[in-house]
Amino acid sequence: MSSPRTSVPPPPPPPPPPHLRAWPDRDALLADRDRAMGELGRRLLGGGRLGLFLVWLLVLEVGWGLVGAGLVMFDEALDPFSVGFALLSAAAGVGALVPAAFFQVRGLRRDRAVRWLFVQWATLDAAPARDARHRAPGLTLAWLLVSFALCAAGLWLCLAVPASARRGTDTYAEVAYGMGAGLLLWVTGLVGTVRAVAHHRLAVRLFSPVRAAPRAGRPASSEHPPHA
């Protein structure tokens, strides 16, 4: 199964150290800061990032669906051909699950690095008028709503499938398939929720009026940035 494109241009570099900064004036510094934070924000919560997040979830569900179909066929197999089809289905499912899980984990590691860069640029100076959009309240809400829907659907599957199973009608393989699909939804929803909440908390720390007031009008290179 073909995987989504994952080759993306590198993120903006961190701001130069204090002794190498050569901005002609504060407006130039703020312009570079605004561009860098905009790009980093899109990598964290942008619509493309949310779309890729859901695409990888779809790949995970398709992979688990193939594995589940293989389990069901193997449980009901009556001849070697059925066993062979079950094994092929399970192998195809594993072939989709492994890269999807790998790229999801790699995405989380990239997010950590991007969040660190976001903090470095944000603590360089303060510009409340420009920083309002970097809070990204709309995107944060979109991530929360999507993640909540995924968690709710996953939790419902994990509870409803075994509760509705009937002895002699539903097999253990079918119940395991349904619960596994729900577990993938639930875990993915939790990851999305953590991402949105983490960005909201970070934005509150970085862009709160109390924190921005002492920095107004001067670079904040001497301050220690908050932890990402």
Side-chain angles (χ1 to χ4, degrees):
M1 184 174 184
S2 60
S3 60
R5 292 178 60 88
T6 57
S7 58
V8 294
H19 65 281
L20 294 180
R21 293 173 186 169
W23 283 287
D25 51 43
R26 184 168 181 264
D27 288 338
L29 181 152
L30 292 178
D32 284 349
R33 174 181 176 271
D34 190 59
R35 282 192 294 270
M37 290 174 62
E39 174 62 24
L40 294 169
R42 284 190 292 273
R43 289 171 180 263
L44 287 172
L45 293 178
R49 187 70 183 86
L50 178 58
L52 186 61
F53 180 75
L54 295 176
V55 165
W56 282 126
L57 171 61
L58 178 62
V59 175
L60 285 171
E61 289 290 355
V62 170
W64 178 247
L66 291 172
V67 171
L71 290 175
V72 173
M73 287 188 292
F74 186 82
D75 190 52
E76 299 175 351
L78 299 176
D79 54 73
F81 291 102
S82 299
V83 174
F85 280 121
L87 293 177
L88 285 176
S89 178
V94 172
L97 282 172
V98 171
F102 170 79
F103 285 117
Q104 284 280 47
V105 172
R106 191 175 73 166
L108 293 176
R109 292 178 177 175
R110 284 181 173 177
D111 288 345
R112 184 178 179 86
V114 170
R115 192 174 293 110
W116 180 84
L117 289 171
F118 188 87
V119 171
Q120 297 302 307
W121 280 103
T123 54
L124 190 63
D125 205 326
R130 303 188 185 199
D131 292 343
R133 71 183 185 93
H134 298 305
R135 290 177 177 266
L139 288 171
T140 302
L141 180 60
W143 275 86
L144 281 175
L145 291 177
V146 170
S147 300
F148 176 79
L150 294 176
C151 285
L155 186 60
W156 179 81
L157 279 175
C158 287
L159 296 177
V161 170
S164 61
R166 297 180 179 179
R167 184 181 299 272
T169 302
D170 299 310
T171 64
Y172 288 108
E174 292 171 338
V175 174
Y177 163 67
M179 293 184 65
L183 184 62
L184 286 175
L185 289 172
W186 185 67
V187 171
T188 304
L190 285 181
V191 171
T193 300
V194 170
R195 184 195 306 273
V197 172
H199 183 80
H200 174 73
R201 293 180 60 189
L202 183 64
V204 168
R205 291 199 301 268
L206 292 174
F207 306 131
S208 63
V210 174
R211 182 176 179 83
R215 295 190 294 155
R218 65 179 179 85
S221 58
S222 60
E223 295 188 5
H224 296 287
H227 296 291

